């Protein structure tokens, strides 16, 4: 629950107060004496807490400290859990985040619920939530204050008193944050609250929120049921992607009763597309992550409910074996993540990190399934089943995820063959100029696809004509129907993205009719100008940034558009350039007509001594230049890339391998020569 730009500053300020406040904060002894700890009382799967990843709701991502975070909202969320079927889907916890209390304790040192927000107190809210068959969660910090700037009371020195209050109110879940901790050892702080919760005798799921700073996955399995592995998420593609990459390597530490927590869901908050939100939900599920809804369900769209209520995807997250998915491959942003399931099947995420559609492929053997004549394959977003001879493949839209469940099933022949729909190349067109595309329909099944036909449609006014066969009598395993198309956007069509749809139909050997569709994005782009141009003056194809938008001729700034500052690297100012925040990618159409990209790159001076990033320039699928990891202490680095013959050039900034905090990166004086 921190702004990613201010965590270090806030932590440093808290540490500076240590000498002054150690005595007054009551650290010499807890406010309530700690009872003797029973040596066998250690959280474990046998305790029955969080045997699968917790599912529920937390208000922070949608309301923060706004006035509409109150008793009415919390009760309304509980009502919606029941009315919308989320309770039946497995969501249990309705969790309060920061700002539920008054800034000061009462005369007895007890926490006081804010009477304006919770006029009937927390126990009344808990009773209401329990009456719906749900559970209530609450928040505090392992410091003398919580993370909110208003300074609500934290639990440091009051652990036993606060834990008993929570238990008396009927709390079922505690999120324990990390602000204003006075530099007290993290293991000590979090173990003290563990003991305090245990002393109440009430089963309370314990969520350790110390942002992964002290590697809790290595020591917290006997402390809490889940631990944050990263800094706070925000509602952006770059943030979600960075957190994903930090959490994926920690799979060996997850299991029943002890989970890696990559932070709450942003699904439905508006900063990403529905395609990106489906990826977010799919990837959190394949990572066996807690699924805590972070959007205001009172305002959620049908599409948001469709994502959050996908029971087949939820079943992947909630599988009782408790395995976190592991990375099978990730070259070129084509991720394959596989999760072993209790029934022997595998959940397989085919995730496309890049900004354009890509084919992602693997095999049943590569994801850990035994050798078999064929396999059943179920698409968990299409809710359809197929058979496959062993290949698992799909053309995945930009930032999209295909989530499969695959099994060595002796009844595979009862399902129709899987067919892969694909497109060669990237559909970028210039208005009024015909573009040539080639599509393919490939039989991946052990059985044949019969009476195969294919069509391609575009927006109204576009011309789409086939230049080769659109039908085939049959396709055997591994065989394809390839069709050429001539696609023309009308002269004068504005630049931007437009939808194409590739459709295929075929029959299984049993006569079952199968139809499938692949949504594609065609981009109308302007040809690059002749000569040398600043990239900040040119239209881009797809800008993504890990915090806030990509900025033209200023630094990244904060979360809003246009809030950047003049670009400065090593004390040198630049009038032109692009300001981004890792992880980021900005792509430009170069139409095979350009030769060179040049820039001075580095971490913007506005971040002081913080920030570590790496810069890359890609020409289509080839890395043409890179810097390695750069820090703010280094001056601007010149970077030049030969991009001759490339249709698309991508400027990529990664986080240097340590998360995205303070990673303001500048492409100063970035220029393109054509």
């Amino acid at each position: 629950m921190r702004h990613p730009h201010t965590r270090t500053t806030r932590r440093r300020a808290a540490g500076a107060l240590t000498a002054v406040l150690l005595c007054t904060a009551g650290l010499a002894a807890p406010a309530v004496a700690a009872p003797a700890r029973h040596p066998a009382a250690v959280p474990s799967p046998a305790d029955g807490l969080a045997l699968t990843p917790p599912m529920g709701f937390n208000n922070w991502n949608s309301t923060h400290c706004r006035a509409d975070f109150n008793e009415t909202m919390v009760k309304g969320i509980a009502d919606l859990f029941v009315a919308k079927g989320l309770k039946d889907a497995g969501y249990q916890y309705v969790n309060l985040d920061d700002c539920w209390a008054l800034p000061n304790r009462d005369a007895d040192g007890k926490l006081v619920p804010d009477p304006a927000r919770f006029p009937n107190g927390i126990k009344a809210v808990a009773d209401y939530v329990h009456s719906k068959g749900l559970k209530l969660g609450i928040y505090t910090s392992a410091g003398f204050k919580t993370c909110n700037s208003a300074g609500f009371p934290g639990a440091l020195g009051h652990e036993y008193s606060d834990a008993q209050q929570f238990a008396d109110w009927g709390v079922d879940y505690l999120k324990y944050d990390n602000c204003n901790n006075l530099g007290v050892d993290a293991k000590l702080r979090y173990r003290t609250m563990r003991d305090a919760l245990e002393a109440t005798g009430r089963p309370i799921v314990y969520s350790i929120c110390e942002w992964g700073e002290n590697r809790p996955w290595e020591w917290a399995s006997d402390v809490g049921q889940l631990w944050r592995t990263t800094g706070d998420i925000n509602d952006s593609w770059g943030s979600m992607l960075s957190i994903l990459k930090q959490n994926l390597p920690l799979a060996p530490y997850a299991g029943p009763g002890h989970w890696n927590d990559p932070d709450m869901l942003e699904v439905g908050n508006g900063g990403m597309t529905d395609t990106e939100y489906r990826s977010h939900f799919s990837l959190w599920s394949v990572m066996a992550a807690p699924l805590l809804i972070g959007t205001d369900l009172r305002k959620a769209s049908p599409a948001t409910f469709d994502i959050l209520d996908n029971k087949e995807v939820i079943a992947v997250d909630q599988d009782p074996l408790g395995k976190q998915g592991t990375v099978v491959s990730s070259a070129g942003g084509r991720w394959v993540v596989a999760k072993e399931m209790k029934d022997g099947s595998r959940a397989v995420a085919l995730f496309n990190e890049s900004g354009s559609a890509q084919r992602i492929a693997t095999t049943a053997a590569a994801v850990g399934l035994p050798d078999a004549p064929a396999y059943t394959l179920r698409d968990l977003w299409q809710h359809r089943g197929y058979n496959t001879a062993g290949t698992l493949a799909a053309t995945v839209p930009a930032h999209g995820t295909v989530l499969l469940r695959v099994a060595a099933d002796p009844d595979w022949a009862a399902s129709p063959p899987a067919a892969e729909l694909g497109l060669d190349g990237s559909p970028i067109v210039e208005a009024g100029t015909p573009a040539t595309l080639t599509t393919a329909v490939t039989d991946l099944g052990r059985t044949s696809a019969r009476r195969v036909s294919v069509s391609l449609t575009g927006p109204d006014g576009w011309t789409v004509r086939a230049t080769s066969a659109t039908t085939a009598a049959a396709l055997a395993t591994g065989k394809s129907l390839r069709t050429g198309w001539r696609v023309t956007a009308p002269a004068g069509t504005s630049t931007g993205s437009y939808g194409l749809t590739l459709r295929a139909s075929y029959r299984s050997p049993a006569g079952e009719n199968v139809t499938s569709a692949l949504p594609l994005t065609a981009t109308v782009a302007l040809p690059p100008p002749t000569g040398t141009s600043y990239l900040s003056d040119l239209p881009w194809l797809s800008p993504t940034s890990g915090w806030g938008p990509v900025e033209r001729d200023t630094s990244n700034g904060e979360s809003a558009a246009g809030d950047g500052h003049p670009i400065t690297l090593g004390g040198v100012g630049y009038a032109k350039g692009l300001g981004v925040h890792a992880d980021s990618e900005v792509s430009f159409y170069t139409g095979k007509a350009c030769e060179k990209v040049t820039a001075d790159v580095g971490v913007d001076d506005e971040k002081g001594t913080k920030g570590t990033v790496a810069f890359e320039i890609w020409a289509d699928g080839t890395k043409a230049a890179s810097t390695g990891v750069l820090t703010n202490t280094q001056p601007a680095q010149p970077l030049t890339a030969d991009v001759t013959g490339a249709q698309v050039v991508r400027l990529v900034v990664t986080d240097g391998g340590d998360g995205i905090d303070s990673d303001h990166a500048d492409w100063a004086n970035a220029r393109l020569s054509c």
Side-chain angles (χ1 to χ4, degrees):
M1 208 202 77
R2 303 160 292 112
H3 190 299
H5 297 251
T6 57
R7 180 187 72 189
T8 305
T9 302
R10 189 177 285 164
R11 187 173 66 247
R12 201 172 274 156
L17 294 171
T18 301
V20 178
L21 296 175
L22 277 175
C23 295
T24 59
L27 295 178
V32 175
R37 174 170 163 77
H38 192 289
V42 175
S44 71
D47 295 331
L49 290 177
L51 297 184
T52 59
M55 295 176 60
F57 167 86
N58 180 293
N59 66 283
W60 185 257
N61 288 351
S62 57
T63 69
H64 299 281
C65 255
R66 294 200 314 257
D68 59 339
F69 165 50
N70 55 31
E71 179 176 322
T72 300
M73 177 192 187
V74 176
K75 290 181 175 180
I77 296 297
D79 292 341
L80 284 168
F81 267 29
V82 176
K84 293 292 188 178
L86 295 173
K87 175 186 172 184
D88 291 340
Y91 293 93
Q92 283 187 295
Y93 295 95
V94 181
N95 294 347
L96 318 183
D97 212 285
D98 207 353
C99 308
W100 61 265
L102 287 179
N104 296 302
R105 296 174 180 271
D106 67 14
D108 297 322
K110 297 293 186 67
L111 296 164
V112 182
D114 184 338
R117 296 182 188 272
F118 297 96
N120 297 299
I122 301 300
K123 187 177 188 309
V125 176
D127 289 346
Y128 186 87
V129 170
H130 292 155
S131 75
K132 300 290 181 177
L134 301 168
K135 298 181 179 181
L136 185 81
I138 206 162
Y139 164 97
T140 188
S141 181
F144 71 98
K145 294 288 186 182
T146 67
C147 291
N148 187 268
S149 58
F152 299 101
L156 192 64
H158 296 269
E159 291 90 345
Y160 284 85
S161 172
D162 289 357
Q164 191 60 55
Q165 271 192 277
F166 299 152
D168 292 344
W169 288 340
V171 166
D172 306 290
Y173 183 111
L174 173 64
K175 175 183 174 183
Y176 203 39
D177 217 336
N178 194 33
C179 290
N180 301 300
N181 57 54
L182 302 179
V184 179
D185 178 72
K187 296 178 186 179
L188 172 62
R189 287 183 283 117
Y190 285 96
R191 285 173 175 159
T192 300
M193 180 54 83
R194 170 198 62 186
D195 296 348
L197 292 172
E198 193 176 280
T200 70
R202 181 175 180 82
I204 298 175
V205 169
Y206 184 23
S207 171
I208 294 171
C209 184
E210 58 87 80
W211 319 319
E213 289 193 335
N214 298 281
R215 303 177 65 86
W217 48 89
E218 295 180 348
W219 52 264
S221 63
D222 68 342
V223 180
Q225 284 73 46
L226 59 156
W227 47 78
R228 279 279 295 281
T229 57
T230 71
D232 289 359
I233 195 169
N234 67 69
D235 187 20
S236 71
W237 173 254
S239 173
M240 190 277 288
L241 186 63
S242 174
I243 285 175
L244 170 77
K245 291 179 180 180
Q246 293 172 70
N247 195 68
L248 276 169
L250 303 178
Y253 298 97
H258 51 278
W259 306 103
N260 294 317
D261 177 10
D263 207 1
M264 299 171 288
L265 296 168
E266 293 282 4
V267 175
N269 281 330
M272 291 184 264
T273 66
D274 286 342
T275 295
E276 291 168 342
Y277 283 139
R278 279 190 292 272
S279 286
H280 182 13
F281 197 69
S282 298
L283 294 163
W284 262 231
S285 294
V286 86
M287 289 193 299
L291 299 179
L292 294 175
I293 297 167
T295 194
D296 188 342
L297 292 172
R298 299 170 300 175
K299 306 172 185 177
S301 68
T304 294
F305 279 109
D306 285 345
I307 293 170
L308 296 173
D309 191 35
N310 188 328
K311 295 178 180 62
E312 292 194 82
V313 177
I314 290 170
V316 171
D317 180 80
Q318 295 290 296
D319 184 71
L321 186 62
K323 290 289 188 74
Q324 178 175 319
T326 57
V327 177
V328 177
S329 59
S330 61
R334 298 180 297 274
W335 292 78
V336 178
V337 183
K339 180 183 193 299
E340 182 182 357
M341 307 289 280
K342 187 174 182 180
D343 65 0
S345 67
R346 297 294 188 275
V348 181
L350 308 178
F351 164 54
N352 180 10
E353 176 187 346
S354 78
S356 58
Q358 293 199 91
R359 180 179 189 264
I360 303 177
T362 187
T363 65
V367 301
L369 288 168
D371 187 43
Y375 305 83
T376 56
L377 174 156
R378 186 162 179 86
D379 187 310
L380 303 188
W381 287 105
Q382 291 185 1
H383 306 294
R384 300 188 64 170
Y386 305 92
N387 78 68
T388 174
T391 297
L392 315 174
T395 295
V396 183
H399 297 180
T401 300
V402 172
L403 188 60
L404 308 173
R405 189 158 177 173
V406 190
D409 186 343
D411 295 327
W412 58 267
S415 301
E420 176 192 353
L421 278 62
L423 174 71
D424 290 352
S426 180
I428 299 177
V429 301
E430 297 177 16
T433 302
T436 299
L437 305 178
T438 301
T439 63
V441 180
T442 304
D443 184 355
L444 302 181
R446 180 59 67 193
T447 53
S448 294
R450 301 175 181 178
R451 297 172 62 180
V452 182
S453 65
V454 64
S455 65
L456 182 67
T457 55
D460 290 343
W462 287 43
T463 302
V464 181
R465 293 194 176 93
T467 59
S468 61
T470 60
T471 62
L475 295 176
T477 300
K479 299 300 182 181
S480 301
L481 168 63
R482 296 181 62 80
T483 305
W485 305 89
R486 191 176 177 88
V487 178
T488 308
T493 301
S494 300
T495 59
S497 298
Y498 297 83
L500 300 175
T501 303
L502 176 64
R503 293 183 174 86
S505 65
Y506 58 95
R507 289 185 178 273
S508 72
E512 180 180 352
N513 190 53
V514 180
T515 60
S516 56
L518 175 65
L520 300 167
T521 299
T523 302
V524 176
L526 296 174
T530 301
T532 299
S533 305
Y534 286 107
L535 283 170
S536 59
D537 294 335
L538 300 181
W540 50 47
L541 295 177
S542 59
T544 61
S545 184
W547 179 266
V550 176
E551 300 285 4
R552 297 182 187 270
D553 300 329
T554 70
S555 68
N556 172 251
E558 295 295 329
S559 59
D563 64 1
H565 305 99
I567 293 171
T568 59
L569 297 172
V572 177
Y574 296 82
K576 304 294 291 182
L578 299 170
V580 301
H581 190 293
D583 287 322
S584 71
E585 177 179 311
V586 191
S587 59
F588 294 87
Y589 175 64
T590 49
K592 302 183 179 180
C594 302
E595 298 85 37
K596 185 169 65 173
V597 173
T598 61
D600 291 340
V601 299
V603 179
D604 195 276
D605 290 349
E606 67 191 353
K607 298 317 296 179
T609 59
K610 296 172 285 185
T612 55
V613 299
F615 292 80
E616 301 170 353
I617 300 175
W618 288 74
D620 292 331
T622 302
K623 187 188 296 185
S626 61
T627 61
V629 176
L630 303 180
T631 69
N632 183 271
T633 60
Q634 297 173 264
Q637 304 291 307
L639 187 62
T640 300
D642 182 351
V643 297
T644 303
Q647 185 181 39
V648 174
V649 167
R650 295 185 292 126
L651 308 185
V652 175
V653 178
T654 63
D655 66 6
D658 62 354
I660 67 172
D661 279 355
S662 303
D663 284 351
H664 286 205
D666 296 331
W667 295 90
N669 279 350
R671 286 172 285 190
L672 176 69
S673 300
C674 304

